[in-house]
Amino acid sequence: MHDMDSLNAERILTKMGELYEDGKLNTMPTPDLYNAVIGSWARRSQSMPFDAPARCAAILKHMEGIADNNIQAEEGHDNSSLHVKWKDFNVDEKSYQITFGAFKSALHCREITESEDAFNIATQADELLQHLIDRVKYGKDEAIPNGEIYATVAACYCKGIELLAAEIEQEQHILIEAGVDFVGIERTADVKLSSVLARLNLLLEEMESGFERHDINPDLSLNAYMEVLKAWSLVTLNPDAQEEMLRIFRRVIDLYKHGEHNLSPTSEMFETVIHALLRNRTPSNVYEAIELLKEQQRLHLAGNPMCKPSIQNYRSIVAALEDKPQEVAAILKQMTLLYESNVMDEKTGNTSLGFHELLELWHKVDKTGGDAASWAESILLRVAKDVHESNSRYSESTKLLRTKNFNAVIKAWLETGEVGLNRAANLFDEMDELGNHPLLSDVKPDHLR
């Protein structure tokens, strides 16, 4: 539906309402009709990011006015008949969902390239949220703000912060090249960032408040916490960033441990916070990152699949500990235990702790000793035998993956020097016995001579 179609649909609906009030139309325009027009504007949000969401909000408020019997009669006329006419009209949750969806869609418009535009959209969405909260406080509970509405408003502010952070970086680069002082611009941007970040923190508090009906809102949104974490991760130079990220993330973990299982921390959350901490590798940040990784491991081993550690978290921490080989080795041993607990994923190539990547990290602390190759061989043969015993279940691509894994381990043994030659040679025999023809390998027998 084009923008003129949406505008015409709104005009027709308005005219229907007028005719109904005048008694010239017997059928009351229903909430579904209003929702259809709101939806038509919402679908234009990506092409009209400033106007379409505003039109949705205006129609929604008009619906509220009808439902509240706030119909204004002309001067000198009684409007009691209008109250009767519209007495069955109501606003439902769907109306609010569509309208806030329009604000969320607007964020994907390619025209939103400046932070001020994104903040304007965020402000409109936030004002509508506050309007909805006020209605709830006054007993108009046709739609209590749910967690996803808070997540939408948070996403709008986060988009603005993302663009502002990029603008600051670009301006700083230009001014440094020109030899101009950046301090004044930086302070102005800091004021804006601080204001928006404070509002994001307050959004989470409002979401949790339960509107004085519950100790805590039963409809919390993990996405809202994620958006606020992302916002803080974009401003790691802010002196409060690390502290606020950890506070918010620990709040999520605490809520989860106390029974809010719909708020399970995710691998993405762990990765976001750990990477943000390690952009500034102070001893305290490295310590906090390692503690978070340990918490992620505990949650995963306790049976939470949402917390499966990713290879990226280990890479980041190994890089931060590059001058401490013993600590790196300890991290890799933890990593190995997790990999082995998920070893069967390797046959489909879907594990987040990749075989090749883990072997590569082992090499960083064990270039010649053979521990990495020995570990890799034990894992490889265990997986390869399982695949071989259930050969019909796996595709040619899986067999090729298995061949590549053999290659990786053979090369690992060859790099250990003379001690690994026999093991490398034996693996060629193992390949043949398990159905992987050695000629498919990019490691050739003559490499062993």
Side-chain angles (χ1 to χ4, degrees):
M1 184 176 282
H2 298 293
D3 52 336
M4 286 304 298
D5 294 331
S6 300
L7 185 59
N8 287 334
E10 185 178 346
R11 287 172 176 168
I12 291 170
L13 183 59
T14 301
K15 187 63 177 178
M16 286 178 67
E18 293 172 355
L19 292 172
Y20 176 68
E21 290 176 3
D22 293 340
K24 297 176 182 178
L25 183 67
N26 293 327
T27 304
M28 179 185 76
T30 65
D32 284 343
L33 277 177
Y34 280 91
N35 285 341
V37 177
I38 292 175
S40 74
W41 277 115
R43 287 188 289 275
R44 304 301 303 159
S45 293
Q46 289 191 36
S47 58
M48 303 174 64
F50 309 111
D51 297 330
R55 290 310 314 149
C56 292
I59 297 169
L60 174 62
K61 290 180 179 180
H62 180 65
M63 292 176 69
E64 292 172 345
I66 295 174
D68 295 346
N69 285 327
N70 291 333
I71 302 167
Q72 301 296 320
E74 293 181 17
E75 186 176 354
H77 291 77
D78 180 19
N79 71 347
S80 58
S81 63
L82 299 183
H83 288 302
V84 174
K85 277 181 173 290
W86 292 99
K87 67 183 180 65
D88 294 325
F89 189 92
N90 58 77
V91 188
D92 59 21
E93 189 174 352
K94 184 178 180 181
S95 308
Y96 294 94
Q97 289 174 344
I98 298 171
T99 302
F100 279 100
F103 285 105
K104 190 171 184 178
S105 294
L107 297 180
H108 300 289
C109 176
R110 293 181 180 178
E111 294 178 17
I112 307 297
T113 58
E114 297 183 1
S115 61
E116 199 57 40
D117 291 337
F119 285 135
N120 285 338
I121 293 172
T123 300
Q124 290 180 41
D126 201 355
E127 287 174 351
L128 184 61
L129 170 60
Q130 297 310 308
H131 169 78
L132 181 53
I133 291 173
D134 288 341
R135 286 184 65 79
V136 172
K137 290 178 178 178
Y138 289 122
K140 304 293 184 180
D141 56 357
E142 60 268 286
I144 296 175
N146 60 31
E148 285 309 308
I149 288 178
Y150 283 95
T152 294
V153 177
C156 293
Y157 279 121
C158 185
K159 179 69 173 181
I161 289 177
E162 178 185 347
L163 292 171
L164 181 57
E167 290 165 6
I168 293 172
E169 184 178 350
Q170 184 177 13
E171 288 178 0
Q172 186 177 29
H173 179 71
I174 293 171
L175 292 174
I176 287 174
E177 285 191 341
V180 178
D181 185 11
F182 183 69
V183 173
I185 297 174
E186 188 174 30
R187 285 176 180 166
T188 302
D190 281 346
V191 170
K192 181 65 175 179
L193 281 174
S194 296
S195 173
V196 175
L197 289 166
R199 178 61 193 134
L200 281 169
N201 284 356
L202 189 58
L203 274 176
L204 293 182
E205 292 177 18
E206 290 176 0
M207 181 178 69
E208 291 183 6
S209 69
F211 309 105
E212 300 178 356
R213 301 183 181 192
H214 311 278
D215 291 335
I216 188 166
N217 187 352
D219 186 17
L220 300 178
S221 167
L222 188 66
N223 290 332
Y225 291 99
M226 184 66 218
E227 292 294 342
V228 179
L229 281 175
K230 281 166 57 179
W232 279 105
S233 74
L234 291 167
V235 293
T236 48
L237 294 180
N238 183 297
D240 299 324
Q242 282 78 17
E243 182 180 345
E244 286 301 309
M245 277 191 300
L246 290 169
R247 180 186 65 80
I248 293 166
F249 192 30
R250 284 171 180 154
R251 174 62 173 159
V252 173
I253 294 172
D254 185 61
L255 286 168
Y256 172 73
K257 289 182 175 179
H258 284 81
E260 296 289 334
H261 291 156
N262 63 314
L263 281 185
S264 168
T266 64
S267 297
E268 182 184 7
M269 280 184 160
F270 278 103
E271 191 167 317
T272 297
V273 178
I274 288 174
H275 287 199
L277 286 171
L278 294 180
R279 286 194 197 117
N280 183 15
R281 296 177 182 174
T282 62
S284 62
N285 281 6
V286 173
Y287 170 80
E288 293 291 356
I290 292 173
E291 289 301 302
L292 281 180
L293 181 60
K294 290 177 181 178
E295 181 65 34
Q296 185 177 12
Q297 291 169 344
R298 283 192 291 269
L299 290 169
H300 175 61
L301 290 174
N304 187 335
M306 301 288 287
C307 295
K308 188 171 185 178
S310 73
I311 198 78
Q312 294 306 320
N313 284 350
Y314 288 99
R315 281 193 176 282
S316 298
I317 290 177
V318 167
L321 295 172
E322 58 186 358
D323 59 340
K324 299 178 180 178
Q326 288 185 335
E327 293 186 36
V328 171
I331 293 289
L332 289 175
K333 286 177 181 177
Q334 297 169 12
M335 200 172 172
T336 297
L337 292 174
L338 277 172
Y339 183 87
E340 290 178 340
S341 72
N342 295 279
V343 66
M344 303 317 292
D345 289 349
E346 177 61 26
K347 61 176 175 268
T348 61
N350 290 330
T351 181
S352 59
L353 290 178
F355 181 87
H356 291 82
E357 292 178 296
L358 185 49
L359 180 56
E360 180 184 329
L361 289 176
W362 265 110
H363 270 301
K364 290 192 175 191
V365 293
D366 177 52
K367 295 184 183 300
T368 60
D371 284 348
S374 179
W375 166 83
E377 181 182 339
S378 67
I379 298 292
L380 170 71
L381 294 179
R382 195 185 320 169
V383 175
K385 287 175 182 176
D386 178 78
V387 173
H388 179 66
E389 290 168 2
S390 307
N391 197 45
S392 61
R393 289 164 42 199
Y394 303 104
S395 65
E396 288 301 316
S397 62
T398 303
K399 295 176 185 177
L400 180 60
L401 171 67
R402 189 173 58 188
T403 299
K404 290 180 178 178
N405 290 347
F406 270 103
N407 288 342
V409 182
I410 290 171
K411 287 180 179 178
W413 275 120
L414 291 176
E415 289 179 12
T416 65
E418 291 292 330
V419 68
L421 286 178
N422 287 337
R423 289 305 313 145
N426 289 340
L427 280 175
F428 273 98
D429 296 334
E430 295 278 3
M431 286 178 70
D432 197 24
E433 290 175 12
L434 294 171
N436 286 71
H437 199 289
L439 292 179
L440 293 176
S441 172
D442 61 10
V443 180
K444 305 303 180 185
D446 58 1
H447 292 156
L448 307 178
R449 295 170 186 169

